[in-house]
Amino acid sequence: SRKVCSYRPHLHPAMSPSTSSSGTGKAQARFLGSAVAGVGELLLFHPVDTIAKRLMNNKGNVHMNNLHEVIFQDTHSGSHADKYRSLFPGLGYGAAYKVTQRIYKWGGQPYVRDMMKNAGVHNKTLQNGLAGSMIGIGEVVLLPLDVLKIKMQTNVEYRKLSFSQILKQEGLPNLYKGWQWTMARNAPGSFYLFGANAFVQQYVFRLDDAKQATWVQNTISSTAGSVASVVGTAPLDVVKTRIQSGSYGTTSGVLICGNILKEEGVGAFFKGIVPKTLTVGPKLIFSFTVAQSLIAYLETRF
């Protein structure tokens, strides 16, 4: 009898892990694959994320004379090793946040997408965009971990405090500070991310199934989604970062917006957009590639 090959091509859709199978084994594979991808992404891109956060949090104009001080803060006059190490504050909080976020976002979006389809939304771009938007709003639950990471990245004083000291000083409610701005950023940001990615695959590459995409097609579609997400939500992200950094006290987001316009100009709403754009695209491509490869492999083992 003819032997049937069981090989599964490692096509890596940039939208989310495939939902073609079900069961405990697949859930375990998705969990572990997404977690490993999140850890790898964190270790590779945390320094660039720190630079972007510090640029967004800086009140004044950034120029060549103060660039090192803005980026490296209290280690700007130290050794190269000290400067490099200074880009890894909040790594523990970042790990908890990034791994949990990746499992939730990449694993949860397909289920919500199916709900959209069952509810009568037949356009794939709209399905993915709406599902991504709903998942993005739900990410606010993880906000305390993100807030702690941002405080460590941008505020020197917080690096001297332990978790218990920060919790005692801030209180749990304050760790949800800026939740409205987080939801306002995540809703359109995730819509652009998943929607633009699906749009390119559906209308540019004419793919009926994302699993048919090649590596090059996935690279182009995921980059389109990530760039659309970063650029489209940049102003909201700047306000969110400043609220959560702890450097602006109890100043409201609306007042921060007004002060930015008055003191720094409209361009300040796009501070840090270059390093953030340069890191988000590769982050998404890397994360999806690792997650898809591991999930496909682990599904054959569980």
Side-chain angles (χ1 to χ4, degrees), residues 42-43 46 88-100 145-146 148-149 152-153 163:
L42 178 79
L43 294 175
H46 188 76
F88 285 90
L91 189 61
Y93 299 123
Y97 173 70
K98 182 55 65 179
V99 174
T100 306
L145 295 173
D146 192 28
L148 288 170
K149 176 180 75 72
M152 292 293 181
Q153 288 175 307
F163 172 75

Side-chain angles (χ1 to χ4, degrees), residues 50-149:
T50 297
I51 292 173
K53 290 291 190 296
R54 290 176 179 176
L55 289 171
M56 286 189 286
N57 190 55
N58 182 61
K59 293 181 181 179
N61 294 323
V62 179
H63 44 77
M64 292 306 298
N65 292 332
N66 70 349
L67 182 61
H68 270 62
E69 187 173 354
V70 171
I71 292 176
F72 299 109
Q73 297 186 332
D74 55 335
T75 63
H76 71 277
S77 58
S79 65
H80 291 301
D82 289 338
K83 291 178 180 177
Y84 181 71
R85 282 193 296 268
S86 75
L87 299 178
F88 285 90
L91 189 61
Y93 299 123
Y97 173 70
K98 182 55 65 179
V99 174
T100 306
Q101 181 206 35
R102 284 305 186 213
I103 294 172
Y104 164 78
K105 195 163 191 170
W106 304 145
Q109 192 267 354
Y111 296 110
V112 181
R113 182 190 62 205
D114 290 342
M115 289 172 57
M116 295 291 103
K117 184 177 180 179
N118 294 334
V121 180
H122 300 296
N123 182 277
K124 292 182 180 179
T125 298
L126 197 56
Q127 282 177 11
N128 282 279
L130 290 175
S133 185
M134 294 175 68
I135 285 291
I137 291 172
E139 282 185 66
V140 74
V141 175
L142 305 175
L143 188 58
L145 295 173
D146 192 28
V147 170
L148 288 170
K149 176 180 75 72

Side-chain angles (χ1 to χ4, degrees), residues 2-11 295-301:
R2 186 176 59 182
K3 184 176 180 180
V4 179
C5 180
S6 61
Y7 170 75
R8 291 181 59 189
H10 286 185
L11 298 175
I295 289 171
Y297 172 77
L298 292 173
E299 281 182 350
T300 66
R301 294 293 184 267

Side-chain angles (χ1 to χ4, degrees), residues 179-189 233 236:
W179 65 269
Q180 305 96 323
W181 291 91
T182 300
M183 292 178 69
R185 181 206 65 169
N186 286 358
T233 61
L236 291 168

